[in-house]
Amino acid sequence: DFTSKPIAWRESNIGVLFACASKNIGHPGVTMVVVRKDLLGRANPFTPGVFNYQTNIMADNVWNTIPTFNVDVVGIVMEWIMENGGVHSMERTSIAKSNLMYDMIGDSNGFYGTPVKAESGYRSRMNVPFCVAGGDDRLTDLFLVECWERGIVGLRTVTPFSKSIYLRASLYHGVAYEEVVVLTNFMKEFAAKHTAVEQDSAVVEQQAGVVTPTDSPLFRPAPASPLIQQ
């Protein structure tokens, strides 16, 4: 969730922030480190230079050969974040996107589920885990196929570990609110189709409760064109 919410540096007494760049600020292969100045110069003499923050700072962060393309992308993304309202704007968007997902799951009458309860306080705004029909293999596979047909990909990540019943919707900065609307609308339609019995399309659509991008709390209607007004 790096760059998706303000950090209380002093109140939390943070000494070192060690953040993976991938997803929210750039490409994999870069790590961003923020170090409190009073902690510099205290490294064990056996600390390798690449891990010695004082060494890196004294060398203007080029003590070793850095992945220049990846670093350049981080700079571009940081500029984009600033141009789009900064961290506070990213936070509002992240809350809106994750709420859309969690509310849809909570309103699905158990068709979708998530292992992280709302009262736990640990729900992620960046990655929303969910299962389809309690992890039913047939419906889950069908769900993924129909997602693929609609251009919705990346819900099941291949890992070295055993396959879980849970899929994952990633909501990083690069994913727009409108794209989350597309996903949740499909999920509602899929749930309605596979829980309804002999209902016509009008009833299914009504139960799905389709959302439009203009329902977004972030949406602002564009001003009317002067030509139209004339």
Side-chain angles (χ1 to χ4, degrees):
D1 59 357
F2 186 46
T3 70
S4 72
K5 61 183 179 182
I7 298 174
W9 297 97
R10 296 184 183 277
E11 295 84 346
S12 301
N13 194 30
I14 297 174
V16 177
L17 181 146
F18 194 88
C20 173
S22 58
K23 310 298 193 299
N24 266 352
I25 67 170
H27 281 292
V30 178
T31 299
M32 176 171 286
V33 181
V34 180
V35 187
R36 206 171 63 210
K37 290 182 179 180
D38 64 292
L39 297 179
L40 296 172
R42 301 186 184 185
N44 185 297
F46 294 103
T47 302
V50 69
F51 296 122
N52 188 324
Y53 302 135
Q54 178 72 20
T55 299
N56 280 273
I57 289 172
M58 295 298 292
D60 292 328
N61 287 309
V62 289
W63 180 83
N64 65 320
T65 302
I66 60 175
T68 54
F69 176 77
N70 302 45
V71 172
D72 192 42
V73 170
V74 170
I76 293 171
V77 175
M78 287 298 188
E79 290 175 359
W80 176 85
I81 289 175
M82 294 303 296
E83 291 170 357
N84 286 274
V87 170
H88 291 285
S89 177
M90 298 299 109
E91 181 179 36
R92 288 191 297 272
T93 304
S94 295
I95 291 173
K97 292 188 295 186
S98 59
N99 282 349
L100 191 60
M101 278 294 300
Y102 287 120
D103 289 346
M104 185 278 308
I105 292 171
D107 294 338
S108 68
N109 295 319
F111 188 84
Y112 299 107
T114 180
V116 188
K117 304 302 180 184
E119 56 270 19
S120 71
Y122 293 112
R123 282 186 165 179
S124 171
R125 297 174 187 167
M126 296 294 107
N127 289 290
V128 178
F130 66 94
C131 63
V132 179
D136 181 274
D137 285 337
R138 183 187 66 83
L139 282 178
T140 299
D141 289 344
L142 180 60
F143 177 87
L144 290 171
V145 168
E146 293 192 15
C147 278
W148 176 271
E149 291 172 347
R150 289 163 173 76
I152 303 170
V153 298
L155 296 175
R156 170 165 280 165
T157 305
V158 178
T159 71
F161 309 105
S162 59
K163 184 176 72 173
S164 168
I165 67 170
Y166 293 104
L167 306 178
R168 181 187 69 174
S170 294
L171 309 178
Y172 298 107
H173 294 335
V175 178
Y177 181 90
E178 292 75 15
E179 292 171 318
V180 184
V181 168
V182 171
L183 172 59
T184 54
N185 279 345
F186 165 70
M187 292 175 70
K188 291 174 184 178
E189 293 164 3
F190 186 87
K193 181 169 60 177
H194 292 282
T195 55
V197 178
E198 297 182 356
Q199 295 185 10
D200 60 36
S201 59
V203 175
V204 172
E205 182 178 348
Q206 181 180 5
Q207 287 191 347
V210 174
V211 179
T212 65
T214 54
D215 291 324
S216 165
L218 309 173
F219 177 77
R220 297 291 183 275
S225 167
L227 296 177
I228 296 177
Q229 292 177 350
Q230 293 174 4

